[in-house]
Amino acid sequence: MEVELKEPVETNHLPDSDEAPLLAAESESADAHVAANGTQSYLDNGFLERGSRDFELKEASRDVSATDLQGDDAPLLSKETLEQSSDSASSQRKASHDGLKSKGSLVKSSDTLQQMEAKYAAYVRKDTYGTLGLGQVSLLEKIMLCLAFITVVPFRLIVLVLILLAYYIICRFCTLFRAATSHGEGELQESYGHISGVRRAIIVQSGRFLTRSMLFVLGFYWIKESHRNHDVMRRLQLGLGDLDSDQVDERASSTPQNPGAIVSNHVSYLDILYHMSASFPSFVAKRSVAKLPFVGLISKCLGCIYVQRESKTSDFKGVSGVVTERLQAASSEQQAPLMLLFPEGTTTNGDYLLPFKTGAFLSPTPVSPVILKYPYRRFSPAWDTIAGTRHLFLLLCQVVNFLEVVRLPVYHPSTEEKLDPKLYASNVRTLMAAEGGLTMVNIGLPEKRVYHAALQELFSPVAETQENE
């Protein structure tokens, strides 16, 4: 059987000779670009599309060369074989292209995460469990979590609930036959902070003891406290090299000694438990807290100020007005409760200090600065960008937790600071950062929300994978 031989068919399907040097130059440029700037830069500059296009051209040429083959081997290539070969080549092209895109996405995600961590450093978790508490942990860590979940967590939860119920019963008993005062907008601003005498003593002393018991159950067996003297504070505040104690006392003697508020950095919801155990102050809370079972009555006994920023009715003085009144009362009246204020407005990872809001400094009353730190070995108690449920679970699983407190002397504002709340807030912030070794940054709650939303979007596939596993 004679087979007619045809002239060889071009199998490469490359462009004409005028375009070939251009492709060669682009290939050399791509290689040089990857060597100089890495894979991510190569992908970002469009070389991925050109590389995939050339790859597809070469694969297509192989398909065409197979179909155009003539000679003794032609009868051996059936139509089904050719279709299978073509499908296989297409699958390989798609897999290769998807692999390149996946590799590029991983590199890009890594770069994006590093950029966000540099920009929002005050909210970055650095403990064993990583960002959002979703980091990869060792097998030993997983075993320890399982053991703690079986043994430590149930015991702690039961004891914490019992303590909460006990204090609720005490507050309910001490408020019998007593009417709550209201500061605008009816029951949403009810407070039992005005109660005095034996009932008030029982509420305060039992509250301090039971909140310290809660911290003990949570693993804070020892709380290290340190105090700074007037000499250090005044040297930092006034920028002086040496200052005699007599001079300090003389400067401070003309101002009242009673602080109107405790000003603290904000790291975790545990901050409130510590301050309740130490000085039992009232604080600003969301209005929804007043309606919570058990906790609502306890917050009213503390004399909390309930906030709903969206509400600005005619009989509502606003947060600043109520806080200013309470600060002046606490500074001038011995029985009035102190206010606890977190001027940062949100929590950080404990290594940074955000800009202070001026609400705590509108009143020209002295303040008592307090710095809280949570040293850790595995899990950080800081509540920055981790979900509340996951944070509480990991906190309960950690057998021992640590808390360090630095108390600064009462800060008496100068004449200039009394007239300028922003200056007052800035100087107190500078002092606290210097004394606590904290880094001051110019970001706040809006940036935290942006960072948290970006992390949720970036790590959502990881979270879904872990849930499926």
Side-chain angles (χ1 to χ4, degrees):
M1 176 179 179
E2 294 183 0
V3 180
E4 181 182 358
L5 297 177
K6 297 182 180 180
E7 293 182 3
V9 179
E10 292 291 337
T11 59
N12 51 12
H13 287 263
L14 293 175
D16 296 336
S17 58
D18 292 339
E19 297 180 23
L22 179 59
L23 285 178
E26 286 186 358
S27 178
E28 293 176 358
S29 175
D31 294 340
H33 194 84
V34 171
N37 301 318
T39 306
Q40 178 60 36
S41 179
Y42 175 78
L43 296 175
D44 292 341
N45 284 277
F47 288 100
L48 176 59
E49 289 79 1
R50 288 195 291 270
S52 301
R53 182 187 61 195
D54 296 342
F55 181 79
E56 291 174 0
L57 287 173
K58 293 179 181 179
E59 292 293 339
S61 68
R62 295 196 185 110
D63 297 342
V64 175
S65 64
T67 58
D68 290 344
L69 181 62
Q70 302 292 332
D72 294 336
D73 294 333
L76 300 178
L77 298 176
S78 64
K79 183 176 181 181
E80 291 78 4
T81 303
L82 291 177
E83 290 178 351
Q84 293 177 0
S85 176
S86 178
D87 293 341
S88 177
S90 299
S91 301
Q92 291 177 0
R93 288 197 303 272
K94 186 177 185 301
S96 177
H97 189 267
D98 292 343
L100 288 173
K101 289 179 64 178
S102 177
K103 183 177 180 181
S105 299
L106 290 175
V107 174
K108 187 173 182 180
S109 299
S110 178
D111 291 346
T112 302
L113 181 60
Q114 292 178 359
Q115 293 173 0
M116 287 194 302
E117 289 180 347
K119 185 176 182 180
Y120 307 111
Y123 312 120
V124 178
R125 294 193 67 83
K126 303 175 183 177
D127 60 2
T128 303
Y129 300 95
T131 305
L132 296 178
L134 297 174
Q136 296 293 329
V137 296
S138 63
L139 177 61
L140 178 61
E141 189 70 24
K142 294 179 180 179
I143 295 175
M144 293 174 63
L145 286 176
C146 292
L147 292 176
F149 178 72
I150 297 173
T151 58
V152 179
V153 174
F155 171 77
R156 285 181 168 177
L157 283 176
I158 292 172
V159 176
L160 289 173
V161 171
L162 291 177
I163 292 175
L164 181 63
L165 288 175
Y167 191 49
Y168 171 78
I169 293 173
I170 292 173
C171 290
R172 177 60 66 186
F173 174 78
C174 291
T175 55
L176 287 176
F177 312 110
R178 293 281 181 168
T181 59
S182 179
H183 300 283
E185 298 201 1
E187 62 179 7
L188 293 180
Q189 286 294 343
E190 285 184 350
S191 171
Y192 290 101
H194 66 286
I195 294 179
S196 58
V198 176
R199 296 190 183 210
R200 182 64 183 176
I202 294 175
I203 291 175
V204 172
Q205 297 304 322
S206 61
R208 294 181 63 178
F209 173 77
L210 291 176
T211 49
R212 182 63 186 93
S213 301
M214 293 180 74
L215 288 173
F216 186 88
V217 173
L218 289 171
F220 294 92
Y221 308 119
W222 307 275
I223 298 179
K224 180 182 177 181
E225 293 193 11
S226 59
H227 298 261
R228 298 289 190 266
N229 57 42
H230 264 291
D231 294 350
V232 175
M233 185 197 72
R234 282 302 179 182
R235 282 199 297 271
L236 290 170
Q237 177 185 357
L238 304 176
L240 301 177
D242 294 317
L243 191 63
D244 296 334
S245 59
D246 294 336
Q247 291 176 306
V248 173
D249 294 336
E250 182 179 353
R251 289 173 182 267
S253 61
S254 60
T255 56
Q257 294 296 314
N258 294 332
I262 297 172
V263 174
S264 173
N265 64 319
H266 204 6
V267 184
S268 175
Y269 52 80
L270 299 168
D271 302 347
I272 297 176
L273 290 180
Y274 166 74
H275 286 293
M276 285 182 63
S277 68
S279 52
F280 205 78
S282 59
F283 53 91
V284 178
K286 295 180 180 179
R287 290 198 175 181
S288 56
V289 174
K291 300 180 180 180
L292 292 176
F294 307 115
V295 177
L297 177 62
I298 295 174
S299 66
K300 293 178 182 179
C301 289
L302 282 166
C304 290
I305 299 175
Y306 302 109
V307 179
Q308 185 175 353
R309 294 191 180 114
E310 294 79 7
S311 177
K312 295 292 182 181
T313 58
S314 58
D315 61 340
F316 183 58
K317 300 178 182 178
V319 180
S320 299
V322 177
V323 169
T324 300
E325 287 184 357
R326 297 286 287 272
L327 293 177
Q328 293 174 348
S331 181
S332 58
E333 301 174 14
Q334 192 68 28
Q335 298 299 325
L338 282 173
M339 284 291 300
L340 169 63
L341 298 174
F342 300 107
E344 293 174 285
T346 187
T347 55
T348 67
N349 57 17
D351 297 329
Y352 296 83
L353 200 61
L354 307 180
F356 281 4
K357 309 294 183 181
T358 58
F361 306 94
L362 293 175
S363 174
T365 55
V367 295
S368 178
V370 177
I371 304 167
L372 303 181
K373 290 188 172 184
Y374 294 87
Y376 61 90
R377 295 176 182 174
R378 295 165 44 242
F379 171 72
S380 170
W383 191 26
D384 32 45
T385 52
I386 184 174
T389 305
R390 185 181 297 271
H391 184 278
L392 180 60
F393 169 74
L394 295 175
L395 179 69
L396 292 172
C397 288
Q398 187 155 264
V399 179
V400 181
N401 291 292
F402 303 93
L403 173 58
E404 295 180 357
V405 183
V406 178
R407 291 186 172 275
L408 305 183
V410 176
Y411 189 103
H412 299 276
S414 64
T415 303
E416 293 79 6
E417 291 170 336
K418 291 179 180 179
L419 298 175
D420 188 353
K422 290 185 179 180
L423 177 63
Y424 189 7
S426 177
N427 289 344
V428 174
R429 179 186 179 223
T430 302
L431 174 64
M432 293 177 63
E435 283 289 329
L438 305 176
T439 302
M440 294 190 295
V441 292
N442 293 322
I443 57 177
L445 180 58
E447 289 79 7
K448 181 179 182 180
R449 289 172 175 170
V450 171
Y451 175 59
H452 191 263
L455 289 181
Q456 292 289 349
E457 182 178 356
L458 189 62
F459 282 85
S460 56
V462 178
E464 294 175 359
T465 302
Q466 291 185 353
E467 291 177 359
N468 294 333
E469 291 177 354

